[in-house]
Amino acid sequence: MLAQPAYVHPVSPVTDTRKVVVDIAGLNKYYSAFHVLKGIDLKVREGERIVLCGPSGSGKSTLIRCINRLEIAEQGRILINDTDLSLPTREASKVRSEIGMVFQHFNLFPHMSVIDNCILAPMSVRGLSRKKAIELAQHFLTKVGIASQADKYPSQLSGGQQQRVAIARALCMEPKIMLFDEPTSALDPEMVSEVLDVMVNLAGSGMTMLCVTHEMGFARQVAERVLFLDGGMVIEDSPPEEFFNAPKSPRAKAFLAQIVH
Amino acid sequence: MSLAELQNMFLNPDLLERYGPRFIDGLLVTGKLVAISFTLGALLGLLIALGRLSSNRFLRSFTGAYVYFFRGSPLLAQLFLLYYGLGSFKGFWQDVGLWWFFRDAWFCTLLAFTLNTAAYQAEILRGSILSVAQGQREACKALNLSRWTAFRKIILPQSLLVAIGPLGNELILMIKASAIASLVTIYDLMGVTKMAFSRSFDFQVYLWAAVLYLLIVEVVRRSLKLIEGRLGRHLQ
Ligand SMILES: Nc1ncnc2c1ncn2[C@@H]1O[C@H](COP(=O)(O)OP(=O)(O)OP(=O)(O)O)[C@@H](O)[C@H]1O
Ligand SMILES: [Mg+2]
């Protein structure tokens, strides 16, 4: 097991003075006639670690995909670091490249070696030299414990290793915010913890993280807030102890009862 | 039957001496014709494939009609249309300074073959581009790669791996279909064969032609295997 990082204790939303890095207001998203997100308001502060959970189809993926504009919401606004990413400005593009994302199915580039997966965007988007990019990649591959596999292709790695590469690849852009969409749910059970350990470490380093996950152990250990989504709305937003021990809504109660066993 | 008789029947030394060099020339002409038109067709085909996949409605329907026409009519008809059809507007081509092109059977054949194979290659490429997993595009977007970089570095290499088999088939079909060029006075492999037959009345020249076509196809088949192995390194 990796060392347990020290955590900031959850602070009251009112007295919290950390900078708001994700500011979502009145977000509505439709898939044709289907109303997926129904007026989401959400503020995420710098270094905050948020776990999103909720039943399948509640809109968790859609919400975090709206943040880095993989999905475009019809109504509402999203400011990242006070920047509206829907504007075609340089600033918007820069801020956008500071949002990292980790997918359920890794989405590594299968025709490229691990190291090439990691250096492509730093070179092409950030304009780093190859040498610098490789140094950076080696640094993060070491952090996720996979430096020795740098020259392998993704298909030669286990699921857990692939997901750790995907995390390293995202980190090579030196993001300010990391989004995770069920990063462990495609993994064999014995590989879940190696990925969670990496995420716990990352949380310890002060990264702002939004994680869609049903790993409740992770949520208890790392999250400052747990958001419970249902039917496209955030119906619970509370610190983990409160969410797990005394969920307010019956929906959340039912949900927790279901995933406990 | 003695060995000499057998040889005379299939590989007559006199005939070989008289027409052998011509066959080599014909082989080279066929190779050049196919190589040039297939390569140009690949470039044009890629553009057409992108047009077919574009979000622009005009581009989509234009390229769609192009593919529909060139796949829906015989190559022979297309070649004749170009060479005899367009070639009959001599005055017009002279005015626009393109008569040197449309007068020449070689250029017309190259053009017809290029336009035709482009349509087939476009469909192959379109399908293979669509076959690349959606997650790959999402990963590119999440890394903020430009659309061009994403296409060049991620989408295209992966789709070529899918396309290489069907593209190889198209190349082989093209090699065989190129015999049509002999109908507009080109001395390609089939052209020299016809010429040799009309002078010698010995059917064995057609056998030579068949073997030589087979030989090209075999060389192509093996090269494709090599390329496929290279593109698919990561799958081993
Ligand atoms: N591209 C799409 N087109 C149409 N409907 C979609 C699309 N993507 C998602 N949906 C629908 O939107 C709803 C919310 O989807 P979303 O993926 O955000 O849910 P989720 O909470 O992440 O669920 P899961 O736990 O299954 O991943 C679902 O009902 C889904 O069927
Ligand atoms: Mg989801």
Side-chain angles (χ1 to χ4, degrees):
Chain A
M1 273 308 263
L2 297 162
Q4 295 258 322
Y7 290 110
V8 190
H9 279 290
V11 262
S12 138
V14 185
T15 56
D16 197 339
T17 54
R18 289 174 296 175
K19 184 172 184 301
V20 174
V21 285
V22 179
D23 187 356
I24 301 177
L27 198 72
N28 282 282
K29 165 84 191 155
Y30 301 81
Y31 286 120
S32 51
F34 180 52
H35 198 172
V36 198
L37 298 179
K38 301 176 183 159
I40 304 271
D41 297 302
L42 174 63
K43 279 187 173 40
V44 182
R45 291 173 187 278
E46 194 160 25
E48 208 170 15
R49 303 167 298 276
I50 293 185
V51 163
L52 291 108
C53 61
S56 181
S58 55
K60 307 177 295 288
S61 299
T62 309
L63 175 57
I64 66 164
R65 289 161 60 89
C66 281
I67 293 175
N68 71 347
R69 292 183 65 76
L70 283 181
E71 306 285 351
I72 311 292
E74 280 76 15
Q75 284 168 25
R77 69 160 168 73
I78 303 179
L79 298 182
I80 310 291
N81 270 334
D82 303 321
T83 307
D84 186 343
L85 299 194
S86 66
L87 303 174
T89 60
R90 248 161 191 272
E91 180 63 14
S93 170
K94 179 170 175 293
V95 172
R96 215 190 134 193
S97 62
E98 292 171 350
I99 307 174
M101 178 147 188
V102 175
F103 300 89
Q104 181 175 1
H105 296 287
F106 330 137
N107 297 354
L108 292 174
F109 305 133
H111 59 300
M112 291 181 170
S113 65
V114 163
I115 193 88
D116 285 341
N117 263 275
C118 293
I119 64 175
L120 175 62
M123 287 172 65
S124 140
V125 180
R126 300 175 61 198
L128 297 190
S129 70
R130 188 177 182 83
K131 187 162 165 287
K132 263 252 168 297
I134 288 179
E135 270 172 30
L136 193 69
Q138 273 161 350
H139 170 75
F140 285 114
L141 286 172
T142 307
K143 273 214 156 166
V144 302
I146 216 151
S148 58
Q149 321 274 1
D151 293 322
K152 291 198 172 162
Y153 286 103
S155 60
Q156 297 167 317
L157 304 180
S158 73
Q161 290 174 321
Q162 289 187 51
Q163 192 60 297
R164 286 186 281 149
V165 171
I167 294 174
R169 179 177 73 177
L171 291 176
C172 283
M173 292 297 283
E174 297 185 281
K176 303 269 165 61
I177 302 166
M178 284 286 285
L179 310 173
F180 293 84
D181 192 357
E182 306 206 32
T184 57
S185 43
L187 298 178
D188 291 337
E190 73 270 19
M191 294 172 185
V192 168
S193 67
E194 66 188 64
V195 171
L196 288 179
D197 286 350
V198 167
M199 291 170 63
V200 169
N201 262 359
L202 190 61
S205 73
M207 177 68 75
T208 310
M209 292 165 69
L210 275 92
C211 315
V212 175
T213 180
H214 291 158
E215 293 295 333
M216 292 306 149
F218 174 80
R220 275 178 196 276
Q221 188 186 352
V222 165
E224 285 183 46
R225 285 153 70 193
V226 177
L227 264 57
F228 179 72
L229 266 76
D230 192 29
M233 287 181 288
V234 178
I235 61 173
E236 204 136 339
D237 178 354
S238 40
E241 312 84 76
E242 203 176 309
F243 178 73
F244 291 114
N245 302 333
K248 289 181 276 263
S249 63
R251 295 278 181 95
K253 269 179 204 147
F255 174 77
L256 283 172
Q258 226 175 27
I259 59 167
V260 158
H261 56 248
Chain B
M1 205 168 7
S2 75
L3 201 69
E5 274 173 335
L6 201 68
Q7 193 190 357
N8 266 340
M9 218 169 129
F10 294 114
L11 210 63
N12 183 327
D14 292 341
L15 213 57
L16 195 61
E17 196 183 307
R18 213 162 351 130
Y19 297 113
R22 297 286 192 105
F23 270 82
I24 301 295
D25 289 345
L27 195 67
L28 291 178
V29 169
T30 293
K32 214 162 108 186
L33 183 62
V34 173
I36 295 176
S37 52
F38 191 82
T39 309
L40 294 178
L43 297 176
L44 182 59
L46 184 58
L47 293 179
I48 294 168
L50 292 177
R52 295 269 279 147
L53 295 168
S54 146
S55 52
N56 181 313
R57 236 185 70 211
F58 171 76
L59 265 180
R60 255 196 342 257
S61 37
F62 176 77
T63 50
Y66 178 96
V67 169
Y68 186 78
F69 173 78
F70 280 98
R71 293 205 312 168
S73 60
L75 176 57
L76 182 61
Q78 291 160 21
L79 177 59
F80 280 10
L81 213 64
L82 260 167
Y83 184 53
Y84 297 119
L86 292 185
S88 62
F89 300 102
K90 181 174 170 187
F92 172 73
W93 295 123
Q94 276 172 338
D95 287 347
V96 296
L98 283 174
W99 179 234
W100 59 272
F101 188 96
F102 287 98
R103 183 182 64 181
D104 191 325
W106 170 254
F107 288 134
C108 284
T109 308
L110 269 183
L111 181 62
F113 283 17
T114 300
L115 295 179
N116 181 272
T117 190
Y120 284 95
Q121 294 190 50
E123 281 307 274
I124 293 169
L125 291 170
R126 184 176 76 102
S128 69
I129 288 171
L130 285 175
S131 78
V132 175
Q134 192 53 33
Q136 295 290 304
R137 283 169 241 269
E138 292 184 353
C140 291
K141 278 197 194 169
L143 289 169
N144 215 17
L145 294 178
S146 71
R147 278 179 59 171
W148 169 238
T149 306
F151 181 72
R152 200 165 48 101
K153 299 268 180 148
I154 307 301
I155 308 299
L156 194 60
Q158 291 185 58
S159 56
L160 281 184
L161 185 61
V162 177
I164 188 90
L167 283 179
N169 275 340
E170 165 61 12
L171 177 56
I172 287 168
L173 288 175
M174 194 61 198
I175 290 167
K176 293 182 290 179
S178 71
I180 283 176
S182 65
L183 295 175
V184 291
T185 73
I186 302 280
Y187 283 103
D188 69 329
L189 185 50
M190 189 50 106
V192 298
T193 310
K194 274 172 27 185
M195 189 264 294
F197 182 74
S198 68
R199 291 189 191 167
S200 66
F201 293 106
D202 193 333
F203 78 91
Q204 66 174 279
V205 292
Y206 280 111
L207 192 68
W208 298 359
V211 169
L212 287 173
Y213 276 111
L214 207 77
L215 205 76
I216 317 180
V217 168
E218 185 58 19
V219 168
V220 166
R221 209 178 58 83
R222 289 185 179 224
S223 321
L224 280 168
K225 269 243 151 67
L226 280 179
I227 298 174
E228 218 163 345
R230 213 185 127 62
L231 279 176
R233 267 170 318 191
H234 60 281
L235 298 177
Q236 273 122 45

